[in-house]
Amino acid sequence: MSAPFVPARRALAGLLLASVALGACGKPTTTQAGMAGDAASRVYVAPGQYDEFYAFLSGGFSGQLAVYGLPSGRLLRVIPVFAQDGEKGYGYSQETKAMLETSYGFVPWDDAHHPSLSMTDGLHDGRWIFINGNNTPRIARIDLTKMETEEIIEIPNAAGNHASPFTTQNTEYVVGATRFSVPTPQRDVPISTYKETFDGLISFVKVDSASGALSLAFQIHMPGFDYDLARPGKGPSHGWAFFTSYNTEQASTLKERNASQNDKDYIAAVNWKRAEECVAQGKAKTMPATYVHTLRGEDGVARADTRSGAPVLEVADCPGVVYYLPTPKSPHGVDVNPSGEFMAAGGKLATVIPVFSFAKFQAAIQAKDFTGDVRGIPVVKYESALSCEVQQPGLGPLHNEFDDAGNAYTSMFVSSEIVKWSVKDCQVLDRIPTYYSIGHLLVPGGDTRKPYGKYVIALNKITKDRYLPTGPELTQSAQLIDITGAKMQLLLDFPTIGEPHYAQAIQASLIKDRQVRTYDLATSRNPDAVKSEKDARVERRGREVHVYGTMIRSHFAPDNIEGIEVGDSVYFHMTNLEQDWDVPHGFAITGQQDAELLVMPGATRTSLWVPQKVGVFPFYCTDFCSALHQEMQGYIRVSPKGSGVKLTYNNPSQS
C-alpha cells in the first residue's frame, strides 16, 4: 500500500483493536472504561478553575494566533495578527488598518506558522510572543499582557519567511530565512537562470530589550537553496542559529522529484555573534530594498513607516559566519536540546534521525575537517559532527521537541505517529499513533533550557473520521498526550482553527496575573478619545463629519444625529467609558462597509462610514453588556447631498 494510505491503515488498525476489546454486546471492557475515565479526569478543569498552561497555536492559513488552555483544550481567544478580524474590528478600524500595510500595499491576510515566546536566559519570560507571516514575509510581535498585536515588520528581499521567527536565548533576535530562493535583489531574469541568479537570504531582526521594538539588524546572502526551519542555540551553542535547507540541487521545476536527488542536504549553522562583529566593522553592504514597519504608538494608533535599504553580509566578507552541515535529504526541523549540546535534524525522506554534537561540530571547524565548500561556505564532514543516529524511528521525521528527562519526541508524518527516544544514546523508547498525518508537535517549554514536560501535543494536518463531518473539509486537530510515564497515553483530541503548524505553551502562572483588565481612561493618549460623556459631540469639516462618541451601560452619546449628507465621510470615534474588567462595547451601523468596532474599557476605536442612501439608519451595541443592551442604540438621519440640513445631535448628558 502506498504512503498516503498509511494514516487510514493505522486508523483501521485502531478500530480493529477496539473491536477486539468489545464484549459480545458491544460494550467497552472494564479496562477500556477505566482508561477512558482516567484520561477524562486528567484533562478535566472544573468550572471556575484555571488551566495549567496557556498554549499558543498558529492559525496557519487563517493568519491568526489561537490561545488554548491546557489540559482542557478550551479555545480562550483568537488573536488577530495578519488577517482582518470582523469580530474585533482589527484591520478595519482606523487605529489598526495600518498593521496590515506592506510594500505590496494593504495585505489583509497571511499564512502564520511558528509562534515563538520571548526568553531570558533560555527560559520563557512571558513578555511577548512572535509569529511569522510566511506568504508576505513578515514578523509580528504580540504583547502577552494584552493578547494584542503591537508590531509587524516586513522582511525585505525574502520570499516565503518560513524558518521564522525563532527566538534567541535572551531575545536578542528573532530570525527569518527565505523558503523560496529568488533573485536577490529582485529583478527580471529568466527562471531558467535559477542556478546563476537565484539566492537565499537569512535575516536577523533585533528585539529591543526594554520595549520589544523590532528592527532589521542584518541579513546574510546565501546560496540559492530553500531554507525551511530554524532553532537558535542555547548554553554552549548560544550565539549560533541553525537553519535546515533543501533543494541543494537548485531545481526550479517539479521539485517533488528534482529536489530529492542528493543523498544529503544541509543545515546552515550561522555564527551570529561573528556576524555582529562583521557588521560593527562596516562589512555589511546596503542592498536595495523597500519594506514596511508598523508599530502601535502609546496612543494605541498603528502607524506604518516605509524603510529603504537592507544591511547584507556577503559570506566572503565575513569568514567563519556560516558553515554547512550535511543532513539526510529534504530536512524539515532542526532542534536544539535543553543542554544546548545536541542538535537533532529530520530528513523527510530519511530512515534515521541524526543527532549532532555541538562540541564535535566546533572541533571539526577547528581541525578544518571539511569535505569542500559551497560558494565559499565550508561543508563540515557529517561523521565528524555526529553524536549518534536514531535507527528506524519511523517514516517521515519532521520536527523534534524535548522533555525534562533527557528524551526527545519526533513527529512522523508518513507513519502518523510520535516517537520517543533518548538523546543520550539515540534509542527508541516508545511510540504512539496520532490517527492523523501529524506535522509539528509541542512539549510545553520544549524549546527552553528547562522544559515543563508533562505533555506532548500533536498538531495534525489531515483529519479522518474523528469528528462529526462538516462537508468536504473536516476540522483541523490537536491531540494531547501524557508523557509522565514510561508509555505515552492519549488524553484528548480537540479541534483547532486554520491549519495548526507549530505551537508554544507557557505556565499560566507566568502571565495570568499580568493581564491588562482595562485601559486607563484618564491617561489615554488617543487624540480622538472622549473622557467624559458631556464632551461627546459632532463636528463637520467640509465633507468630513467627526462623531466623538461615548459608550457606557447602556447608551451612546450622542444617540441621534441629523445633518449628515449622502457621500459624507463620517468618522465615528467611539470611546468606551467603562473602567470595569470585561465590559467591552460594540458599535455597528446599517450599511457599514468596515467591520463593527469592539472597544475595550477605556479604549477608543474609529470607524469610517460613507452613507450611500437617503434615510434614517440605526446604530447599536453589538456586544451584550447589560439587561438593557437592546436599548443601547441610536439613529443617524442622512439627507441628500447639498440639502443643507442643519447638523444637530442629542447628548443625553445635556438633555
Side-chain angles (χ1 to χ4, degrees):
M1 187 177 291
S2 60
F5 294 95
V6 171
R9 186 171 72 242
R10 285 190 168 273
L12 178 60
L15 289 172
L16 291 173
L17 287 172
S19 68
V20 171
L22 292 175
C25 60
K27 294 181 180 179
T29 65
T30 302
T31 301
Q32 269 192 314
M35 289 177 62
D38 177 56
S41 68
R42 287 153 73 183
V43 301
Y44 178 68
V45 178
Q49 300 299 307
Y50 295 130
D51 279 285
E52 183 180 359
F53 295 99
Y54 285 98
F56 300 91
L57 275 63
S58 68
F61 42 70
S62 76
Q64 314 295 42
L65 180 65
V67 187
Y68 293 83
L70 294 180
S72 72
R74 296 167 176 164
L75 176 61
L76 304 176
R77 181 173 178 81
V78 176
I79 302 174
V81 185
F82 296 116
Q84 289 177 302
D85 187 326
E87 175 190 343
K88 301 174 182 68
Y90 178 86
Y92 292 98
S93 72
Q94 298 299 299
E95 288 80 6
T96 61
K97 275 186 178 179
M99 296 301 297
L100 303 178
E101 289 293 341
T102 76
S103 63
Y104 300 90
F106 184 76
V107 179
W109 171 86
D110 215 314
D111 187 14
H113 279 218
H114 306 126
S116 184
L117 287 158
S118 59
M119 291 194 283
T120 300
D121 194 25
L123 302 177
H124 294 157
D125 57 28
R127 292 180 294 168
W128 311 296
I129 190 166
F130 308 90
I131 191 166
N132 64 319
N134 181 41
N135 186 59
T136 304
R138 289 178 277 184
I139 293 174
R141 176 175 61 89
I142 293 98
D143 184 335
L144 288 179
T145 67
K146 304 173 185 176
M147 303 281 182
E148 292 183 355
T149 303
E150 292 291 305
E151 184 176 13
I152 297 177
I153 188 170
E154 189 179 353
I155 308 299
N157 294 316
N161 182 42
H162 196 256
S164 179
F166 303 97
T167 311
T168 57
Q169 180 171 294
N170 292 296
T171 321
E172 299 95 339
Y173 297 100
V174 289
V175 302
T178 189
R179 175 179 168 187
F180 312 111
S181 285
V182 292
T184 308
Q186 275 284 17
R187 57 198 184 278
D188 178 18
V189 298
I191 297 174
S192 60
T193 64
Y194 186 106
K195 291 185 178 181
E196 296 75 33
T197 59
F198 285 47
D199 297 295
L201 203 71
I202 289 174
S203 302
F204 284 76
V205 175
K206 187 72 175 174
V207 183
D208 184 87
S209 60
S211 68
L214 305 175
S215 58
L216 182 63
F218 57 87
Q219 299 180 303
I220 301 174
H221 207 172
M222 299 290 290
F225 307 152
D226 294 351
Y227 296 84
D228 196 12
L229 283 176
R231 281 291 190 198
K234 57 177 76 75
S237 55
H238 177 52
W240 288 75
F242 306 94
F243 299 78
T244 52
S245 65
Y246 62 99
N247 190 28
T248 52
E249 299 85 352
Q250 293 186 281
S252 62
T253 182
L254 199 60
K255 289 188 178 182
E256 177 186 26
R257 180 182 67 199
N258 295 327
S260 302
Q261 301 301 308
N262 294 339
D263 182 56
K264 286 184 170 60
D265 288 306
Y266 295 125
I267 293 170
V270 178
N271 185 340
W272 57 259
K273 285 189 177 290
R274 172 64 178 144
E276 287 181 328
E277 294 173 356
C278 292
V279 171
Q281 293 166 5
K283 294 183 178 180
K285 300 172 183 176
T286 300
M287 183 177 287
T290 300
Y291 63 101
V292 172
H293 173 254
T294 305
L295 178 67
R296 281 194 186 183
E298 292 183 357
D299 57 5
V301 179
R303 295 175 178 86
D305 174 34
T306 299
R307 301 183 177 184
S308 299
V312 176
L313 277 174
E314 298 292 343
V315 173
D317 296 332
C318 189
V321 71
V322 183
Y323 296 88
Y324 275 136
L325 182 57
T327 197
K329 65 169 64 179
S330 300
H332 190 55
V334 54
D335 300 286
V336 181
N337 85 314
S339 74
E341 167 58 19
F342 299 105
M343 301 93 72
K348 298 192 294 291
L349 303 180
T351 57
V352 299
I353 301 173
V355 179
F356 299 104
S357 161
F358 183 73
K360 287 186 174 182
F361 170 64
Q362 292 295 293
I365 292 174
Q366 291 301 315
K368 299 187 184 303
D369 195 0
F370 305 140
T371 60
D373 72 273
V374 178
R375 218 169 76 180
I377 299 174
V379 179
V380 174
K381 188 177 180 181
Y382 176 80
E383 293 79 8
S384 297
L386 189 68
S387 173
C388 57
E389 291 178 333
V390 183
Q391 298 292 325
Q392 298 181 339
L395 300 177
L398 291 183
H399 175 60
N400 313 283
E401 288 276 293
F402 304 91
D403 66 14
D404 53 346
N407 303 311
Y409 301 79
T410 302
S411 53
M412 299 289 176
F413 178 80
V414 178
S415 53
S416 297
E417 60 186 333
I418 293 175
V419 175
K420 175 182 177 180
W421 50 274
S422 168
V423 176
K424 180 180 179 180
D425 57 16
C426 288
Q427 295 299 305
V428 172
L429 303 175
D430 191 23
R431 60 182 72 233
I432 188 171
T434 59
Y435 298 100
Y436 310 88
S437 296
I438 183 176
H440 282 265
L441 76 174
L442 159 72
V443 173
D447 65 325
T448 71
R449 290 195 305 105
K450 296 180 180 179
Y452 311 124
K454 200 163 188 176
Y455 306 111
V456 62
I457 296 95
L459 302 165
N460 300 302
K461 301 294 187 186
I462 300 171
T463 304
K464 297 295 183 190
D465 62 36
R466 299 283 289 184
Y467 297 100
L468 287 172
T470 52
E473 184 184 24
L474 301 176
T475 181
Q476 308 290 331
S477 172
Q479 293 180 292
L480 182 72
I481 297 166
D482 182 273
I483 59 172
T484 57
K487 289 291 188 180
M488 293 180 279
Q489 182 185 354
L490 176 62
L491 300 179
L492 179 71
D493 282 17
F494 60 95
T496 62
I497 69 164
E499 179 194 348
H501 290 265
Y502 187 46
Q504 294 264 268
I506 188 170
Q507 286 180 315
S509 59
L510 289 176
I511 60 176
K512 175 175 69 69
D513 295 333
R514 297 173 51 226
Q515 295 304 297
V516 171
R517 298 190 175 197
T518 65
Y519 294 97
D520 185 8
L521 184 63
T523 60
S524 172
R525 297 189 180 183
N526 189 299
D528 299 315
V530 179
K531 299 182 180 182
S532 172
E533 186 173 294
K534 65 180 178 59
D535 296 324
R537 63 197 185 277
V538 182
E539 298 176 356
R540 177 177 283 280
R541 303 170 195 166
R543 294 306 309 275
E544 289 185 0
V545 177
H546 292 261
V547 179
Y548 297 91
T550 62
M551 318 154 85
I552 196 166
R553 287 167 288 185
S554 294
H555 64 270
F556 292 98
D559 62 2
N560 287 333
I561 303 170
E562 299 189 35
I564 306 300
E565 298 182 358
V566 170
D568 280 343
S569 294
V570 185
Y571 291 88
F572 291 95
H573 310 288
M574 306 304 298
T575 300
N576 184 346
L577 297 180
E578 307 282 357
Q579 291 289 267
D580 289 341
W581 191 17
D582 196 28
V583 189
H585 289 295
F587 173 85
I589 184 170
T590 303
Q592 188 173 5
Q593 293 180 331
D594 281 346
E596 64 144 5
L597 297 177
L598 188 63
V599 189
M600 297 299 114
T604 301
R605 289 289 180 269
T606 300
S607 178
L608 171 61
W609 180 60
V610 181
Q612 304 296 313
K613 299 178 181 180
V614 168
V616 178
F617 300 94
F619 59 86
Y620 67 103
C621 177
T622 55
D623 193 309
F624 195 93
C625 56
S626 71
L628 297 178
H629 165 74
Q630 292 291 98
E631 285 76 12
M632 190 170 174
Q633 64 181 60
Y635 290 99
I636 297 183
R637 174 187 171 192
V638 178
S639 302
K641 181 178 179 180
S643 60
V645 175
K646 183 180 179 181
L647 184 67
T648 62
Y649 57 91
N650 177 56
N651 186 332
S653 69
Q654 299 172 1
S655 300

